[in-house]
Amino acid sequence: MKKLLLLFTFFIGIASINAQETLEELKAAQGPKKDSIAAIQARVNAIQSKIDALPGWKKGAFGTIGGSISSFKNWYSQGFPNNNSGNIGFTVNVFANLTKEKFFWRNSANVNLSWVKLDDKDDPTDSDSFREATDVFNITSLYGHKLNDKFAISGLAEYRTTILSNFNDPGYLDLGIGATWTPIKDLVVVIHPLNYNFIFSKEDTVFESSLGAKILVDYTKQIKAVSFKTNLSMFQSYESSDLSNWTWTNSFGYTLWKMIGVGFDFGLRNNKQEALNYALDPETPTTATSFEDVDNDLQTYWMFGLNYKF
C-alpha cells in the first residue's frame, strides 16, 4: 500500500513539473507574438494616418443618450411622496469635412435635446407629461482658400436656435469673412473681424443685430476608444458689449463595446440679451428693467449617459 502511495505521489509530481514546464514554454512563445501584434498595429496606425491625410471627404457622428424613470408611493421623506418622474435626453455631433489641395469646406452640426417629467399624484392639476428641458441646435459651415498649410482666407456661416419650442425666436445667424488658422491636425481657429450677427426674434425691444468680430475654435479628435469635441463660438459686437455673446460646448465619449460606450456632455453660455428677455417675460417674476440692472448669470447644462458613434 505504501509503495502504491509513493508511486502515485511520484506521478503527480512528474505531472506537475510537466505542467509547469508547459506553462513556461507557452508564456515564452507568447512574448514574440505580442511583439508581432504591436508591430502590426503600429503599421496599421501609420497607414490609417496616411489615409486620414488624403484629400477628400471625412464624415462621422457621435453622441450621448441619457435617461431615467422612477415611481414613488408613500415615500414620506420627500416633498412629493407619490410621484412618477423621469428624464430623457440625447446629443448628436455630426461632421462632414472636405479637404482639397487649394481649399477646404468644413461642416458640422450639434443637437442637444432633453425632456423631464415630475407628476405629483396628489395634485390633480399637476401635469403628467414630459416638458422640454434642454434645447440646443447649432449648424456651422466654414469655407477656406488655402494660402499655405496653416493659414487660409475664409468665410463662415453659423446658425443657432432652439427647435422644440420658440424656433427661430431668437435665432442667431453669423455671416463673416476673415482668416482661419490650423496649427495642428483637427484644430481649427477662425478669426473674422468682419462679421454681422443677425438676430431673428419677435421681441425687437431686447434683441438687436449688430456688426462685430467672430472667433470660433473647434477641436474634434478620436484617440483609440476616446472621442471628444470642444467648440467655442464667440461674437464681440462693435456697438455694445450688451450685444456680445459666447457659447462653449463639449462632448466626450468612451467606447466600451463596438459602437456603444459612455458619454458626458456639458455646455456654457453667456448672452445678456437672452438674460434680459427672460427677466422681462410676463410669465416669470420681473427681476430687471434694462441691460443696466439685469443679472447676466452663466448658463450651463450637462448630461451623462450611454455614448454611440458611427
Side-chain angles (χ1 to χ4, degrees):
M1 186 65 181
K2 290 182 179 180
K3 291 181 178 180
L4 289 175
L5 288 174
L6 288 173
L7 187 59
F8 179 74
T9 304
F10 175 76
F11 281 120
I12 292 296
I14 293 297
S16 298
I17 292 173
N18 289 336
Q20 184 65 31
E21 290 177 349
T22 302
L23 178 59
E24 291 176 354
E25 290 173 355
L26 290 173
K27 287 184 176 180
Q30 187 184 50
K33 300 298 187 296
K34 287 184 176 180
D35 294 339
S36 299
I37 293 173
I40 293 172
Q41 187 61 53
R43 292 196 294 270
V44 170
N45 293 339
I47 294 172
Q48 186 61 50
S49 297
K50 293 180 180 179
I51 293 174
D52 294 339
L54 289 175
W57 283 101
K58 300 293 187 299
K59 304 174 184 178
F62 70 96
T64 302
I65 300 175
S68 68
I69 57 174
S70 62
S71 178
F72 292 88
K73 183 177 181 180
N74 301 327
W75 199 266
Y76 297 115
S77 61
Q78 61 186 15
F80 304 99
N82 301 290
N83 74 77
N84 290 326
S85 64
N87 68 80
I88 185 172
F90 67 90
T91 63
V92 178
N93 295 283
V94 181
F95 65 89
N97 302 326
L98 175 64
T99 301
K100 292 291 186 179
E101 182 180 356
K102 296 295 184 180
F103 70 92
F104 61 79
W105 184 25
R106 302 178 63 91
N107 304 276
S108 64
N110 170 258
V111 181
N112 187 326
L113 306 175
S114 68
W115 298 261
V116 297
K117 178 180 79 169
L118 177 59
D119 177 22
D120 183 2
K121 297 179 181 178
D122 298 324
D123 183 0
T125 64
D126 189 28
S127 174
D128 61 352
S129 60
F130 279 89
R131 295 177 296 173
E132 297 89 354
T134 306
D135 192 354
V136 177
F137 178 81
N138 188 320
I139 185 168
T140 302
S141 183
L142 173 68
Y143 177 85
H145 178 76
K146 295 181 181 180
L147 301 176
N148 52 47
D149 291 340
K150 298 190 180 299
F151 288 94
I153 299 172
S154 56
L156 172 72
E158 182 185 49
Y159 178 67
R160 307 183 308 279
T161 187
T162 56
I163 56 178
L164 295 179
S165 61
N166 301 322
F167 176 73
N168 207 40
D169 185 24
Y172 303 88
L173 175 62
D174 279 295
L175 295 175
I177 57 174
T180 294
W181 178 42
T182 53
I184 60 175
K185 183 183 177 183
D186 304 314
L187 174 62
V188 178
V189 181
V190 179
I191 303 175
H192 285 179
L194 186 59
N195 183 93
Y196 200 84
N197 180 232
F198 295 92
I199 303 181
F200 311 100
S201 173
K202 298 176 182 178
E203 196 61 54
D204 296 332
T205 58
V206 175
F207 294 99
E208 181 181 346
S209 303
S210 64
L211 181 69
K214 181 74 174 183
I215 297 176
L216 187 145
V217 181
D218 184 273
Y219 187 61
T220 304
K221 187 70 174 178
Q222 180 173 337
I223 303 175
K224 295 183 178 180
V226 178
S227 300
F228 60 91
K229 176 184 177 68
T230 181
N231 181 280
L232 174 64
S233 177
M234 304 177 63
F235 171 74
Q236 180 62 49
S237 175
Y238 292 147
E239 298 182 21
S240 170
S241 60
D242 294 334
L243 306 181
S244 302
N245 61 79
W246 59 266
T247 302
W248 183 32
T249 59
N250 300 270
S251 297
F252 300 87
Y254 182 79
T255 303
L256 297 173
W257 178 74
K258 293 187 178 181
M259 296 186 298
I260 306 298
V262 293
F264 177 70
D265 293 76
F266 74 90
L268 306 174
R269 174 183 286 176
N270 185 284
N271 191 312
K272 203 168 186 178
Q273 294 180 90
E274 291 180 350
L276 180 59
N277 184 58
Y278 180 79
L280 297 177
D281 191 336
E283 297 183 1
T284 62
T286 301
T287 58
T289 59
S290 65
F291 284 115
E292 283 70 24
D293 60 353
V294 67
D295 291 328
N296 186 23
D297 296 327
L298 182 66
Q299 305 175 44
T300 66
Y301 74 80
W302 67 270
M303 183 171 65
F304 178 80
L306 293 177
N307 174 266
Y308 62 91
K309 70 181 182 70
F310 302 98

